[in-house]
Amino acid sequence: MNWDQISGNWKQFTGKVKEKWGKLTDDDLTTIAGKRDQLAGLLQQKYGYAKDQAEKELDEFTKALKP
């Protein structure tokens, strides 16, 4: 799965995002609206990840999703 598919179907994926990163609120996910860079920024803010770590987490999340 690639990020364009996730972004295009964001509402369907918000549950999976919340399962993985429970500190993110519904408002956070609505604001992000499927934008990968905004999600990476929030992961850095809420989880204290470095930019590289946030990107790695997102890559792993994307690969783990089944099309």
Side-chain angles (χ1 to χ4, degrees):
M1 177 133 332
N2 67 40
W3 198 262
D4 289 335
Q5 292 170 306
I6 294 170
S7 181
N9 297 301
W10 182 243
K11 288 186 180 182
Q12 295 173 356
F13 289 105
T14 55
K16 294 198 181 289
V17 171
K18 279 186 74 169
E19 277 179 33
K20 178 136 178 89
W21 298 292
K23 291 182 184 178
L24 301 179
T25 66
D26 289 334
D27 286 345
D28 290 336
L29 298 177
T30 299
T31 302
I32 291 166
K35 296 181 185 94
R36 181 184 167 112
D37 58 337
Q38 287 188 10
L39 180 53
L42 264 180
L43 292 177
Q44 291 174 56
Q45 179 184 349
K46 297 222 177 197
Y47 286 87
Y49 293 160
K51 184 174 173 45
D52 291 346
Q53 178 66 25
E55 291 294 333
K56 182 180 175 202
E57 292 272 335
L58 288 172
D59 287 343
E60 290 172 3
F61 174 74
T62 304
K63 287 178 188 165
L65 291 174
K66 302 283 187 256

